[in-house]
């Protein structure tokens, strides 16, 4: 399968600047690349190339820092990338889901949640409802995160699966 992993806008992958999500992705990539063609889309960094292949994994890095800038750069990447993806895995940014769905209507979209990003102060209700409709699965790192999502969006319950990090 062709898999696109969309990281957060805060830190680059590989995790040269740290970061829990970035470290998690680094740990999963050696296993994932055995059976899948992987592209990692993440934040740029002066120490890393904008587009490179490392150990069989393609890394594309775009401007980040704040979500709105990063989202526009994710959109530009998807519009210009000639690759189509079977699975698009978005990490911890539900506000990226709806734009990604528009540009990749056939892809399965997985959203991994590591924080309370579905709370009303971070995500408006109408946008959150559309996010839940547009994802195929929501992976949470704890039951608490899944319960929090369901407290605001009960319709998300059948799509939520908790997988604990080890």
């Amino acid at each position: 399968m062709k898999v696109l992993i969309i990281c957060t806008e805060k830190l680059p992958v590989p995790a040269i600047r740290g970061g829990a999500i970035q470290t998690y992705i680094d740990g999963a990539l050696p296993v994932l690349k055995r059976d899948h063609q992987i592209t990692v889309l993440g934040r740029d960094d002066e120490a890393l190339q904008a587009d490179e292949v490392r150990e069989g994994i393609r890394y594309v890095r775009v401007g980040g820092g704040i979500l709105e800038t990063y989202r526009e750069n994710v959109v530009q990447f998807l519009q210009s990338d000639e690759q189509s993806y079977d699975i698009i895995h978005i990490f911890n940014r539900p506000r990226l889901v709806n734009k990604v769905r528009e540009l990749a209507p056939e892809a399965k979209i997985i959203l991994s949640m590591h924080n309370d990003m579905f709370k009303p102060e971070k995500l408006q209700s109408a946008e959150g409802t559309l996010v839940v409709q547009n994802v195929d699965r929501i992976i949470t790192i704890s039951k608490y995160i899944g319960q929090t999502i369901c407290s605001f969006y009960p319709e998300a319950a059948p799509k939520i699966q908790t997988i604990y990090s080890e």
Side-chain angles (χ1 to χ4, degrees):
M1 286 192 182
K2 296 175 186 171
V3 179
L4 174 63
I5 295 172
I6 302 178
C7 308
T8 66
E9 75 285 357
K10 298 295 184 188
L11 295 167
V13 174
I16 62 168
R17 309 271 180 235
I21 292 172
Q22 293 73 16
T23 302
Y24 179 87
I25 292 168
D26 275 350
L29 289 174
V31 175
L32 293 173
K33 75 175 186 176
R34 290 183 205 154
D35 298 317
H36 306 290
Q37 182 181 334
I38 306 293
T39 300
V40 177
L41 177 60
R43 159 172 202 153
D44 63 352
D45 188 277
E46 69 271 358
L48 298 167
Q49 294 177 31
D51 195 331
E52 67 176 330
V53 176
R54 288 184 178 201
E55 299 179 20
I57 299 167
R58 180 180 180 209
Y59 293 86
V60 178
R61 300 180 184 95
V62 298
I66 61 170
L67 182 60
E68 290 73 16
T69 300
Y70 186 66
R71 181 174 44 212
E72 288 308 311
N73 289 326
V74 167
V75 166
Q76 287 178 3
F77 168 78
L78 288 169
Q79 288 172 333
S80 65
D81 190 30
E82 295 178 8
Q83 182 74 261
S84 63
Y85 297 96
D86 301 303
I87 296 174
I88 300 177
H89 193 145
I90 301 170
F91 277 82
N92 214 44
R93 294 298 182 263
R95 294 191 60 215
L96 295 176
V97 168
N98 297 331
K99 284 289 191 186
V100 170
R101 173 54 74 209
E102 285 177 28
L103 296 167
E106 302 301 317
K108 298 279 186 195
I109 296 181
I110 299 169
L111 177 63
S112 286
M113 295 307 303
H114 297 243
N115 302 95
D116 292 340
M117 303 304 285
F118 274 82
K119 286 189 171 182
E121 58 269 22
K122 295 183 181 184
L123 186 66
Q124 292 182 355
S125 179
E127 184 178 9
T129 297
L130 195 54
V131 167
V132 171
Q133 291 172 5
N134 280 329
V135 296
D136 293 280
R137 176 78 63 198
I138 301 170
I139 305 297
T140 64
I141 63 162
S142 69
K143 288 191 186 283
Y144 167 79
I145 299 293
Q147 290 167 347
T148 300
I149 294 168
C150 288
S151 72
F152 299 109
Y153 304 95
E155 66 275 20
K159 294 184 177 187
I160 291 179
Q161 181 178 355
T162 299
I163 301 175
Y164 296 102
S165 302
E166 291 187 18

